Amino acid sequence: MKIFLGSVIYFFVIQTIIFPLAFADLKSDKQALLDFATAVPHLRKLNWNPASSVCNSWVGVTCNSNRTRVSQLRLPGVGLVGHIPPNTLGKLDALRVLSLRSNVLEGDLPSDITSLPSLTNLFLQHNNFSGGIPTSFSLQLNVLDLSFNSFTGNIPQTLANLTQLIGLSLQNNTLSGSIPDLNHTRIKRLNLSYNHLNGSIPVSLQNFPNSSFIGNSLLCGPPLNPCSPVIRPPSPSPAYIPPPTVPRKRSSKVKLTMGAIIAIAVGGSAVLFLVVLTILCCCLKKKDNGGSSVLKGKAVSSGRGEKPKEEFGSGVQEHEKNKLVFFEGCSYNFDLEDLLRASAEVLGKGSYGTAYKAVLEESTTVVVKRLREVVMGKRDFEQQMENVGRVGQHPNIVPLRAYYYSKDEKLLVYDYIPGGSLSTLLHGTP
């Protein structure tokens, strides 16, 4: 009887206390996300429906295993514009991963984000944040990437207290001052290049390559140029004053005239030598350039017969990047830059192009079809893609998720189906 009563009480506590608390926490996370979406304009629709479950259909949102809290928020390249208000994302106290990279966010970075107690990975690169870097951080932080922003001021000394820190990227900002000693961290990836840092590089960081520190003209020490030793002026001592001598006017006049003649002769010879040397170097350089241009022309012409290494995206034009077109209902959160950076594996070749398996840095896997010998205008191509997209709504056809068009490159993005190809299912694996 006592065991039965104990079980009833335990069940009552779980139902009346624990479950409502978990539901309340998820409800507060949902409200914090809605407050953030309301306060920060976004060019790409997020499809965050207040009536739907946060853990099921909200773009970029991932919950923990028991679906009681929001643990990850990934919104790279969705066109977020403006400031992040305090008391929005800073209320997600169970958040472990936050990625808002490649947007147009600006202003100060709220300290309630960097100090989230469970935060392990923070990716805010390629925005326009300004002001100082917050000094309070989660002690669980593993990776901090604030590169390609407009942060100013010193690198916080509190970073030295992050014993779990593995990666730190602060390059391409306007940071100044000295570099803190990170010998108590587990730092393995470091990039502080192209700032205004000064002083000597701490001994604990001197094993990193030159590329981690270049672009800081006032920084010294290995692996950069050695620091100049401080030379103290000698202590003053009584100077020896020779006794005055009365030179003979006639002899000094003769010596001064001879010295002037020698100096003029030596100087004239040096100037003449420099002029001849400069003319000779110019002639040799002109001849060198002519020969190298001929060799370059030959190398280009002779290399046409060689088969180039195949990579999807090699024909993407620089000014047309980040123009990946997604279809309605697609939940992928990556841009063209992420796709071109992904590791690629050839799946097969057909009459119209090659199919690649692409694994993005956030463990998203897609199939990229690189079209060949397809010549058509942009409007015709987009119309054909709309037709293919409508056909892909059939349950037995892999849907087309996105496409990219340029004059020299045309890419199609599909879901990756790990079960194998139709040929393998029909004929088996040879």
Side-chain angles (χ1 to χ4, degrees), residues 114-155:
T114 59
S115 59
L116 286 169
S118 302
L119 193 65
T120 60
N121 295 271
L122 181 58
F123 302 100
L124 299 177
Q125 64 267 35
H126 291 281
N127 279 285
N128 196 29
F129 286 109
S130 58
I133 298 176
T135 57
S136 56
F137 297 93
S138 165
L139 295 178
Q140 307 298 321
L141 200 61
N142 296 144
V143 178
L144 176 63
D145 194 337
L146 304 179
S147 59
F148 295 92
N149 280 283
S150 301
F151 285 108
T152 57
N154 296 336
I155 299 177

Side-chain angles (χ1 to χ4, degrees), residues 67-98:
R67 305 169 74 83
T68 57
R69 299 301 303 272
V70 172
S71 62
Q72 297 185 27
L73 178 61
R74 299 178 183 269
L75 297 174
V78 296
L80 297 173
V81 180
H83 298 251
I84 300 178
N87 297 319
T88 53
L89 298 183
K91 291 184 176 180
L92 303 174
D93 53 4
L95 195 68
R96 298 181 67 252
V97 178
L98 176 61

Side-chain angles (χ1 to χ4, degrees), residues 268-290:
S269 301
V271 171
L272 182 60
F273 175 74
L274 288 175
V275 170
V276 173
L277 184 62
T278 304
I279 295 174
L280 183 61
C281 289
C282 291
C283 293
L284 290 175
K285 186 175 181 181
K286 185 175 180 182
K287 184 177 180 181
D288 237 358
N289 288 340

Side-chain angles (χ1 to χ4, degrees), residues 25-37 44-50 52-65 67-76 78 80 89 92 94-100 330-333 362:
D25 288 338
L26 186 60
K27 187 176 180 181
S28 65
D29 288 351
K30 183 177 184 179
Q31 188 57 51
L33 291 172
L34 289 173
D35 292 342
F36 170 73
R44 181 176 168 187
K45 190 175 181 182
L46 296 180
N47 291 324
W48 286 0
N49 185 359
S52 62
S53 171
V54 178
C55 301
N56 288 339
S57 58
W58 282 31
V59 173
V61 179
T62 304
C63 294
N64 56 9
S65 57
R67 305 169 74 83
T68 57
R69 299 301 303 272
V70 172
S71 62
Q72 297 185 27
L73 178 61
R74 299 178 183 269
L75 297 174
V78 296
L80 297 173
L89 298 183
L92 303 174
L95 195 68
R96 298 181 67 252
V97 178
L98 176 61
S99 176
L100 303 177
C330 175
S331 61
Y332 288 136
N333 289 303
E362 296 178 357

